[in-house]
Amino acid sequence: MASIAIDGPAGAGKSTIAKRVAKELDYIYVDTGALYRAIAYYLVNNQVDIEDEKALTAACEKITIGIQYENDAQQVILNGENVTPFLRTEETGNMASKSSAKAPVRAALLDLQRNIAKEYDVVMDGRDIGTNVLPNAEVKIYLTASSKERANRRYKELIEKGEKADFDKIEADIIERDERDMNRAIAPLKQAEDAVLVDSSDMGIEKVVNTILAIVKDKIK
């Protein structure tokens, strides 16, 4: 089985790009961020204090997460319920960023992610796939973009949905999330030594996808 790890900060386009790359290669796409968001969704709904390690560990022991695929789209199953439609809120995203730094949360998902990669050819995106989850992945990509460009993408996404959006607040949240992800004690966001840097600030989706496919072709003969 071959594994492609795509890491990078929030809003860099990892999910969009990883889905396209997986489709082109006929690989399984694994959105690890959605798995962490599922746990975050549970923690928010059950008002779990993530600073209370005992309470957090107990909560994680009550969580069962699996993934299914419908029309090539990943569906996240939390305790028997498909929670995919509820995972993209700002509240869930912010909780995911905070809770994913906690050891009980990371432990709850590590084996699941590794087992998927043992069973399938995968494109897996996240914050620490190449450095921690799949350190032996055949291809590692670090996908990034400037905070301004990432905020602009999120702003447009919200406006298109008919939601209110404050560009400055979005960028401030992104910068804060970067700081948190890069400086957490457990599996911080960083570029793996053998990862190829792809800066998508001035690149369209097609160009990014083709750039990564060229890297894959070069590394997986």
Side-chain angles (χ1 to χ4, degrees):
M1 296 295 113
S3 300
I4 299 170
I6 301 181
D7 290 311
K14 298 186 299 296
S15 296
T16 301
I17 299 303
K19 284 177 192 171
R20 288 282 300 274
V21 170
K23 188 172 183 179
E24 290 289 335
L25 296 170
D26 198 24
Y27 280 23
I28 292 289
Y29 164 62
V30 183
D31 177 0
T32 63
L35 304 180
Y36 283 102
R37 282 172 178 265
I39 290 183
Y41 177 76
Y42 179 93
L43 298 175
V44 169
N45 283 355
N46 290 275
Q47 299 179 322
V48 178
D49 179 3
I50 65 170
E51 299 306 325
D52 181 341
E53 187 165 349
K54 190 174 180 181
L56 181 59
T57 300
C60 286
E61 288 173 354
K62 296 175 184 175
I63 294 172
T64 300
I65 292 181
I67 60 173
Q68 296 175 356
Y69 291 89
E70 294 178 9
N71 300 321
D72 294 328
Q74 175 179 292
Q75 306 294 313
V76 182
I77 311 301
L78 171 67
N79 293 344
E81 178 190 357
N82 187 340
V83 296
T84 308
F86 313 119
L87 302 183
R88 298 302 300 178
T89 66
E90 290 297 307
E91 182 181 29
T92 301
N94 284 326
M95 172 58 85
S97 179
K98 294 172 185 173
S99 61
S100 64
K102 305 296 183 181
V105 174
R106 303 203 73 79
L109 289 177
L110 188 60
D111 285 344
L112 171 63
Q113 295 170 94
R114 287 179 173 168
N115 287 337
I116 293 169
K118 287 177 184 175
E119 292 181 36
Y120 304 99
D121 291 320
V122 298
V123 178
M124 196 176 288
D125 73 327
R127 301 288 194 280
D128 67 334
I129 307 304
T131 55
N132 184 53
V133 179
L134 302 177
N136 297 316
E138 283 77 5
V139 180
K140 298 179 186 178
I141 304 292
Y142 190 83
L143 181 64
T144 190
S146 68
S147 61
K148 192 169 291 296
E149 175 58 27
R150 287 183 280 143
N152 186 48
R153 293 171 185 172
R154 182 62 176 154
Y155 178 83
K156 287 179 178 177
E157 183 183 334
L158 291 171
I159 294 298
E160 285 172 6
K161 289 180 180 177
E163 298 179 27
K164 291 183 179 179
D166 180 331
F167 179 88
D168 291 335
K169 184 179 185 308
I170 292 170
E171 185 175 21
D173 285 348
I174 282 173
I175 291 170
E176 181 185 343
R177 192 178 296 186
D178 286 352
E179 186 73 15
R180 193 161 59 228
D181 289 346
M182 290 175 177
N183 291 290
R184 66 192 184 199
I186 300 170
L189 167 66
K190 63 180 179 180
Q191 181 178 339
E193 289 184 10
D194 52 348
V196 179
L197 176 66
V198 177
D199 189 328
S200 69
S201 298
D202 300 312
M203 297 167 70
I205 292 173
E206 289 294 334
K207 187 172 182 182
V208 177
V209 170
N210 289 334
T211 297
I212 292 175
L213 288 173
I215 294 167
V216 172
K217 187 176 180 181
D218 182 58
K219 291 183 175 290
I220 300 179
K221 305 298 184 184

